[in-house]
Amino acid sequence: MENFHDGHWCNLDISLKNHFRNAQTTWFERKLLGYVFYKSYKNEDVKIDTIDDFIKTAKLGKEIAEVIRSNLSKCWPFVPSFERGYTWEYFKSYILNFEDYSVGKASAESFIPERITFFIHDLLNITKNDSVACIGSGSSTIFEKLVTFSPRANYEIYEDEIRRRSLAYIYKDILGANVNFPSKSCMLSEAGKKYNKICLTYALGAKTPALREECSDYIRNYVLERTFLQKASLDWVLTFLLSEKLSRNGKMVSLTTFNKLSSRSEVDVKIRRELINSGKVEAVISLPANLLPHTSVSLALIVYSNDNKSVKFIDASNRSTSGYGFLYMKSKLNAFEYYDLDEFFNREGQKQSVVELSNFKGDYRLDPKYYISSVNIPYAKAFKEVIFKTNRRDTLTKCYLEKELSNKKTDYRFVSSNDIQDGIICGEPRYISEKSEELQKMKKYSVGPGDIIISKNGITPKVAVVSDDEKFVLTNGNLYALKLKNKIIDPYFLQAFLESPTGRASLKDAITSGMQSLITVADLEDMVISCPPLKQQKEIAQRYKKKLQELIDLKKNEEGKRKELSDVFDLK
C-alpha cells in the first residue's frame, strides 16, 4: 500500500498530481475525489458516469451525499475521464494519511500534525469499549488516528471546521468505526454524560462562534454558576466543562497555546488556580515551536485526570531540528511515539520536574520552563527582587525622533538597541532637545548612572549599564530600562552575570511568550539571577569593569586606526 505519512504535495504520484491539477481542484475537493475513486475502485458496481449515479450506487449516507453533491458538481466531468491505474488501497492511504500543506490559513490552523496525534493517542491510552470524545477544530484529524489505532472504542466527535467535519464522516465510512456526531454539541449539555477519554483542541480552532452559538444557553448558565469563569475564553470554559464529564479514572488531553500557561491576566490566574487546587491537572508538556503551518505559536499538551496530588512538568520544546515543524514532523517528534505518560516522564535525559500542589502560589503558572531550569545558579533569586522599577515605552518612529532630537548635547541622551555593542553604550550620541514638548512625558521612562538596560530580544540579548558620564538616558521601545535596588545588587555584577553563559541560559529559560522569542516583563521579573553577598558582588564587579574598560580602550584604538587607514591615500 502506498504511504503518505509526513508527505508533501510534491511527493504525490506525478500522474495523480497532474490529473488533480488539470481539474483545478482545492485541497478539500482533492480529498473528496480520493473518496470517490476509493469507493469506485473497491466496488465495481459503483458507477461514476454522473454524480447522481455515484451517490445512488455507492449507497452513501445523507451527510456524505450532501457534501459530495455540493462540492464536486462543477468538477465532476473530470471524474469519468480519470485513467484507471491505481488501487482502492492507494486512495484509502491518500485520504487518511496525506495532508496538503498548501491549504489556506483557516484550514491549516485546524490541522493537527500527525506526530502530535500519535502522542495524544498514547497519552490517552484508549482501550476496548472506552467512551471517547473529540471536540474542537482539528479534532477530525486526531479522531482519524485514534480510530486507526484503537478501532474498538466508542467515539463522539464535534469538529468546528466545516470541511474537516465533512471529512470525519468519510473517515467513519472508510474505517468502519463506531462513531457518533452529536448535533448542537449535546455531548456537552447531556446530563450525567461521562467519558473515559477526552481530547480537546478548541484553542487552535478557526475563529468561528459555532460551538458557542449551538450551546449558548447551556454555556452561559454554566459560567454564571462559576464566577471564576466569567470573562474567560471559550477554551477555558470547555476545559472545565469537559473535565467534569470525565469518569472516575478518566483522562483528558488538551492541546493549547503556550501563553495560556503563564499569562498574568486575573482571569487566567484564577482558572489555573482552580484547576490545580481541584487536583485536575496531571501533567503539562511543552512542545517544539513551529509545529503548525502558517503560525509560529508555541504549543503545549495538558493532561487532566482526577485527584492528583502533584503536577508533572516535561519540557520537550528542544526536541527539534532546523526548519518548520510541519515539514519535519518525523525528526521532531519521532521519540514521542508509543510512550505512555509515566514512560515518557521517566525517560533518561528528559527535562522534567514534579511539583506538589502545596508548592503552587502567586500566578499558579503551568509552563514547564518555569519549574525546570537548564542551569544551576548559585545564590539564586528572582530578578524582580532586585528591581526597583521597570521602565518601558512604545517604539518611537523615525519621523518623531527627527523632530525631537537636538543638534547640541543635552542632559537627555537617547539610546536604542543599535547603540549597545559588546555591553557598552557607544556610537554617535543622540540627544533629545530640552525644548521638546514631549520631554516631560518621556522623562518618566528615563534611567540614570548605575541603572541597567536590557533588550527585549531573548535570542541575542543586549545588556549595558548607564555610565556616570550620562545624566539621563531615554530608551526606545525595544529596550527595558531598569532601576535597581543598589543595596541588594551591584549593576556591573548583574551585567557580568547576564553576559555569562549561565546568565544567557537563564534568559533563554525565562522566555515563555513563544512568539519571536521576545522577553516579556513577566519573563524578566520571574527569571532567576545570581545574588551573592554584596561584598562578593563588588569583587566580581571590579574585575568586570576593568575588562570592560580595556574593551572600551580597544574600541577607541580601533577607531583611531580606522581613521589612519582612511588618511593613507593622500595624492593631490
Side-chain angles (χ1 to χ4, degrees):
M1 185 189 298
E2 297 288 345
N3 193 339
F4 290 101
H5 282 285
D6 299 308
H8 307 297
W9 181 238
C10 59
N11 293 332
L12 189 57
D13 179 271
I14 294 297
S15 175
L16 183 59
K17 175 180 173 181
N18 290 336
H19 275 298
F20 281 166
R21 275 187 171 170
N22 290 338
Q24 297 181 335
T25 52
T26 65
W27 74 271
F28 181 57
E29 291 166 346
R30 290 192 282 271
K31 285 280 192 178
L32 297 182
L33 286 171
Y35 177 69
V36 170
F37 296 130
Y38 160 79
K39 296 290 282 188
S40 63
Y41 279 41
K42 190 174 183 181
N43 186 347
E44 293 183 356
D45 293 333
V46 173
K47 308 300 181 184
I48 56 174
D49 295 329
T50 67
I51 197 168
D52 290 329
D53 288 340
F54 172 73
I55 291 173
K56 182 178 180 179
T57 57
K59 300 178 181 178
L60 301 184
K62 179 181 178 182
E63 297 87 355
I64 299 179
E66 290 178 356
V67 171
I68 295 293
R69 192 184 301 279
S70 59
N71 288 278
L72 293 185
S73 295
K74 291 183 179 180
C75 62
W76 194 267
F78 154 80
V79 175
S81 63
F82 184 79
E83 66 178 45
R84 297 264 167 172
Y86 302 92
T87 64
W88 66 266
E89 292 96 341
Y90 182 95
F91 285 108
K92 177 181 179 180
S93 183
Y94 168 70
I95 295 166
L96 296 179
N97 299 321
F98 178 73
E99 188 68 32
D100 185 353
Y101 293 109
S102 65
V103 301
K105 182 177 180 181
S107 293
E109 286 179 345
S110 61
F111 162 66
I112 309 301
E114 182 179 81
R115 298 290 159 175
I116 295 180
T117 64
F118 285 152
F119 192 30
I120 290 174
H121 171 269
D122 293 342
L123 292 175
L124 288 174
N125 189 25
I126 299 171
T127 58
K128 181 181 178 181
N129 296 326
D130 268 349
S131 174
V132 184
C134 300
I135 186 166
S137 288
S139 58
S140 64
T141 56
I142 291 180
F143 148 74
E144 180 259 306
K145 290 297 182 294
L146 298 184
V147 172
T148 300
F149 289 101
S150 302
R152 305 181 77 176
N154 303 304
Y155 294 89
E156 289 190 0
I157 178 172
Y158 186 95
E159 167 67 71
D160 288 320
E161 214 276 326
I162 189 168
R163 287 168 295 185
R164 294 197 181 277
R165 190 187 309 176
S166 301
L167 290 178
Y169 290 109
I170 291 175
Y171 296 153
K172 175 183 178 180
D173 179 47
I174 291 176
L175 297 169
N178 183 12
V179 184
N180 291 317
F181 300 89
S183 61
K184 295 189 177 181
S185 196
C186 65
M187 60 197 303
L188 295 180
S189 55
E190 185 177 337
K193 185 73 174 180
K194 294 289 183 180
Y195 297 97
N196 303 116
K197 307 293 166 58
I198 299 174
C199 178
L200 172 64
T201 60
Y202 192 81
L204 306 177
K207 297 175 181 177
T208 59
L211 187 59
R212 187 182 289 274
E213 290 176 357
E214 292 190 14
C215 310
S216 58
D217 291 338
Y218 182 77
I219 289 178
R220 187 183 301 110
N221 293 332
Y222 183 84
V223 170
L224 286 174
E225 295 171 2
R226 296 158 181 81
T227 55
F228 62 88
L229 283 176
Q230 292 177 10
K231 299 183 180 179
S233 58
L234 183 56
D235 51 310
W236 275 134
V237 175
L238 290 175
T239 296
F240 270 93
L241 199 158
L242 288 170
S243 68
E244 294 179 358
K245 291 188 172 293
L246 276 178
S247 62
R248 185 74 180 83
N249 298 312
K251 193 180 294 287
M252 177 169 78
V253 176
S254 171
L255 182 61
T256 186
T257 51
F258 202 77
N259 65 306
K260 290 284 186 182
L261 308 180
S262 58
S263 165
R264 286 190 165 185
S265 75
E266 184 179 355
V267 173
D268 287 342
V269 171
K270 285 182 178 179
I271 289 171
R272 291 197 300 266
R273 181 176 62 214
E274 188 71 23
L275 285 170
I276 292 169
N277 289 341
S278 63
K280 292 181 181 294
V281 182
E282 180 180 347
V284 183
I285 306 165
S286 60
L287 300 176
N290 300 314
L291 286 180
L292 297 180
H294 301 287
T295 178
S296 61
V297 66
S298 294
L299 304 176
L301 290 171
I302 305 180
V303 181
Y304 298 95
S305 56
N306 294 307
D307 302 325
N308 293 288
K309 305 301 181 184
S310 61
V311 179
K312 295 177 181 178
F313 290 97
I314 303 172
D315 181 11
S317 60
N318 291 325
R319 293 177 173 272
S320 60
T321 59
S322 60
Y324 287 96
F326 68 96
L327 295 179
Y328 296 90
M329 201 60 56
K330 181 173 288 187
S331 58
K332 274 180 173 285
L333 292 178
N334 192 50
F336 285 6
E337 288 189 56
Y338 312 120
Y339 282 95
D340 66 21
L341 183 58
D342 290 331
E343 289 175 324
F344 185 67
F345 182 79
N346 293 316
R347 290 190 64 198
E348 184 178 353
Q350 183 69 269
K351 291 184 178 180
Q352 59 194 23
S353 178
V354 178
V355 180
E356 301 295 323
L357 298 193
S358 59
N359 291 330
F360 285 95
K361 56 185 178 179
D363 295 334
Y364 284 79
R365 294 173 65 155
L366 281 174
D367 49 309
K369 288 185 178 181
Y370 185 70
Y371 301 97
I372 306 170
S373 177
S374 62
V375 290
N376 182 26
I377 299 175
Y379 302 99
K381 190 184 289 284
F383 203 164
K384 59 187 172 187
E385 295 182 37
V386 304
I387 298 174
F388 176 73
K389 184 181 180 182
T390 302
N391 291 333
R392 55 190 175 124
R393 61 161 300 125
D394 296 333
T395 300
L396 301 177
T397 64
K398 183 178 179 181
C399 179
Y400 177 85
L401 282 175
E402 289 176 350
K403 177 183 175 183
E404 302 298 332
L405 289 177
S406 171
N407 294 325
K408 299 178 181 180
K409 181 178 179 179
T410 70
D411 288 341
Y412 302 93
R413 182 173 179 177
F414 174 77
V415 173
S416 69
S417 60
N418 291 333
D419 296 319
I420 301 175
Q421 301 295 333
D422 300 315
I424 304 165
I425 299 176
C426 53
E428 191 67 28
R430 294 175 291 172
Y431 296 96
I432 302 294
S433 171
E434 294 183 358
K435 297 180 180 180
S436 167
E437 296 178 359
E438 297 291 320
L439 184 58
Q440 292 304 315
K441 294 180 182 179
M442 297 171 66
K443 281 175 68 174
K444 65 181 180 180
Y445 300 110
S446 69
V447 288
D451 294 329
I452 198 164
I453 299 171
I454 302 177
S455 68
K456 295 180 181 180
N457 187 324
I459 299 299
T460 56
K462 294 182 176 183
V463 182
V465 174
V466 179
S467 70
D468 294 336
D469 298 333
E470 307 295 345
K471 192 168 184 180
F472 297 102
V473 168
L474 301 165
T475 59
N476 209 347
N478 51 12
L479 297 170
Y480 292 120
L482 308 176
K483 288 185 174 292
L484 303 174
K485 297 178 181 178
N486 292 324
K487 292 183 179 181
I488 301 177
I489 193 81
D490 182 284
Y492 285 99
F493 168 81
L494 179 58
Q495 184 177 4
F497 168 76
L498 294 173
E499 294 281 11
S500 70
T502 302
R504 297 280 175 169
S506 185
L507 273 169
K508 185 177 180 181
D509 280 350
I511 298 171
T512 60
S513 61
M515 297 295 289
Q516 303 174 354
S517 296
L518 296 180
I519 304 172
T520 66
V521 173
D523 293 339
L524 194 66
E525 293 179 346
D526 285 336
M527 77 169 284
V528 179
I529 64 167
S530 179
C531 188
L534 201 56
K535 181 180 178 181
Q536 195 171 345
Q537 292 184 40
K538 296 290 185 184
E539 293 172 356
I540 295 174
Q542 283 298 114
R543 298 202 305 270
Y544 184 81
K545 286 174 70 175
K546 183 179 178 180
K547 294 297 181 183
L548 198 63
Q549 187 58 50
E550 291 175 3
L551 182 59
I552 292 172
D553 295 340
L554 198 63
K555 283 182 174 290
K556 288 180 178 178
N557 185 53
E558 181 183 1
E559 290 174 5
K561 293 299 180 184
R562 289 184 184 280
K563 179 66 169 62
E564 291 175 13
L565 282 173
S566 67
D567 293 339
V568 168
F569 182 81
D570 59 359
L571 291 179
K572 304 294 184 180

